[in-house]
């Protein structure tokens, strides 16, 4: 079960107004206990004042535009609470627990104090006291007490109450908490609880429903406005980021273009890189280059002339030499024929 360290940890995390509401439910639930004490002490005004304090407490939580001074309400009921008695009877002790509850419900908000744990302890103390009276044989054994139905019922009730108080604040939830205070129409020690919705007309005033509707509409409009503002801010952030990326890209392109223009080599019309002629870099270079070119061309012509003359001589010599050999050969043939003829004779 949640009750224990985990229960109190959740209880302590609540804001003061939730502590007040938690305590108010327990105080309303235990109202019959206080009424019995007031009747025994013949003090009906005490019961009436206590009931009025409960009514104003519920009105305070239901009406967000109320002008109720909870501290003043507590000052009105405090004189009727048995908080400073020298000797307590059993009846006084039950009424004392009711005093702790109404104190936690009313003073917590003005003082911004968290009295929910005190209220929880006071409600449980009344149940334990009842069990000790009903089961004296188990009064000295704590484990045996914790096994009693009355104790377990109280633990379960407080856990469910805490979970209900932790729900979002609304008029509907406050009215459901009021119904929880009157659950089973009995107090935490089993006394009949005769309270009903008619005893708390302010809590069920139709004007509260209209007010709650207007508050809900305003809250929805506020939420929609916040959502629209967030969407607009997100869109603007995306637009700025896009513009920054575009500016950065343009800057890179400009830098690349500037680097290309500053390069020592430029592209010609054919797409090839043109080299720089060292002779074109100065007038003296051009003059020297021109003379060297003329000399080179003149030398070529001389070589061609020599080659032509040499070739001509070779051809002439070859022609003369060849002609002489042919004539001599024919002459020898003729002599041979003559010899043959001479031999024949």
């Amino acid at each position: 079960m949640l009750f224990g360290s985990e229960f109190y940890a959740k209880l302590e995390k609540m804001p003061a107004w939730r502590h007040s509401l938690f305590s108010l439910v327990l105080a309303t639930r235990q109202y019959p206990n206080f009424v019995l004490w007031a009747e025994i002490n013949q003090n009906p005004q005490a019961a009436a004042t206590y009931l009025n304090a409960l009514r104003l407490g519920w009105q305070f939580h239901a009406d967000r535009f109320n002008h109720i001074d909870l501290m003043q309400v507590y000052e009105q009921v405090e004189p009727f609470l048995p908080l400073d008695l020298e000797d307590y009877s059993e009846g006084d002790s039950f009424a004392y627990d009711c005093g702790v509850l109404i104190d936690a419900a009313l003073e917590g908000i003005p003082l911004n104090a968290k009295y929910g744990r005190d209220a929880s302890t006071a409600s449980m103390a009344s149940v334990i006291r009842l069990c000790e009276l009903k089961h004296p044989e188990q009064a000295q054994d704590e484990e045996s007490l914790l096994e009693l139905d009355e104790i377990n019922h109280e633990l379960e009730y407080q856990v469910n109450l805490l979970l209900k108080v932790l729900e979002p604040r609304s008029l509907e939830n406050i009215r459901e908490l009021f119904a929880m205070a009157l659950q089973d129409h009995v107090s935490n020690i089993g006394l009949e609880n005769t309270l009903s919705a008619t005893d708390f007309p302010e809590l069920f005033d139709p004007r509260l429903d209209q007010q709650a509707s207007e508050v809900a509409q305003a809250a929805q409009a506020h939420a929609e406005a916040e959502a629209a503002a967030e969407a607009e801010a997100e869109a603007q952030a995306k637009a700025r980021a896009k513009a920054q990326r575009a500016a950065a890209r343009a800057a890179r392109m400009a830098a690349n273009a500037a680097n290309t223009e500053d390069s020592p080599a430029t592209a010609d019309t054919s797409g090839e890189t043109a080299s720089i002629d060292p002779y074109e870099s100065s007038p003296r270079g051009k003059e020297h280059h021109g003379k060297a070119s003329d000399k080179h061309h003149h030398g070529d012509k001389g070589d061609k002339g020599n080659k032509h003359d040499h070739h001509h001589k070779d051809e002439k010599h070859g022609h003369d030499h060849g002609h002489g050999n042919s004539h001599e050969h024919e002459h020898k043939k003729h002599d041979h024929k003559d010899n043959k003829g001479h031999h024949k004779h």
Side-chain angles (χ1 to χ4, degrees), residues 197-215:
T198 57
D199 295 309
F200 298 84
E202 299 83 3
L203 181 58
F204 297 93
D205 190 334
R207 289 177 296 181
L208 292 180
D209 296 278
Q210 179 63 28
Q211 180 189 104
S213 177
E214 294 174 355
V215 170

Side-chain angles (χ1 to χ4, degrees), residues 79-243:
F80 299 96
L81 303 177
L83 298 178
D84 298 315
L85 300 180
E86 294 182 0
D87 186 20
Y88 283 87
S89 65
E90 292 296 339
D92 294 335
S93 297
F94 287 112
Y96 175 87
D97 294 335
C98 294
V100 173
L101 292 173
I102 198 66
D103 181 9
L106 299 178
E107 284 198 306
I109 292 179
L111 299 178
N112 193 28
K114 298 181 178 182
Y115 294 143
R117 183 162 188 159
D118 294 339
S120 172
T121 302
S123 182
M124 181 61 72
S126 292
V127 177
I128 292 175
R129 189 178 300 110
L130 174 66
C131 290
E132 290 175 343
L133 293 174
K134 292 175 61 177
H135 310 282
E137 69 282 0
Q138 295 175 292
Q140 303 302 321
D141 187 353
E142 183 177 351
E143 293 184 1
S144 298
L145 280 174
L146 294 176
E147 293 177 358
L148 296 175
D149 292 339
E150 294 89 343
I151 300 294
N152 284 293
H153 182 268
E154 178 66 18
L155 294 175
E156 183 180 0
Y157 181 89
Q158 290 199 27
V159 169
N160 292 334
L161 173 59
L162 174 64
L163 297 177
K164 188 64 178 174
V165 170
L166 287 172
E167 292 183 7
R169 183 177 184 177
S170 67
L171 178 62
E172 180 182 3
N173 189 50
I174 291 172
R175 287 172 174 170
E176 290 175 354
L177 285 168
F178 173 77
M180 192 173 181
L182 305 183
Q183 180 178 305
D184 300 328
H185 300 286
V186 294
S187 71
N188 61 335
I189 59 174
L191 297 180
E192 182 183 5
N193 194 338
T194 59
L195 292 176
S196 65
T198 57
D199 295 309
F200 298 84
E202 299 83 3
L203 181 58
F204 297 93
D205 190 334
R207 289 177 296 181
L208 292 180
D209 296 278
Q210 179 63 28
Q211 180 189 104
S213 177
E214 294 174 355
V215 170
Q217 292 176 3
Q220 182 178 359
H222 180 70
E224 291 175 353
E226 284 189 341
E230 291 179 359
E232 178 64 20
E234 183 178 357
Q236 292 179 359
K238 289 182 178 179
R240 287 194 298 269
K242 184 177 180 180

Side-chain angles (χ1 to χ4, degrees), residues 65-80:
F65 302 100
N66 71 84
H67 300 284
I68 298 173
D69 185 347
L70 293 180
M71 185 63 73
Q72 184 178 0
V73 174
Y74 178 71
E75 290 174 354
Q76 292 173 356
V77 71
E78 183 182 17
F80 299 96

Side-chain angles (χ1 to χ4, degrees), residues 12 19 64 89 265 294:
E12 292 300 325
H19 279 256
R64 295 192 178 190
S89 65
D294 293 342

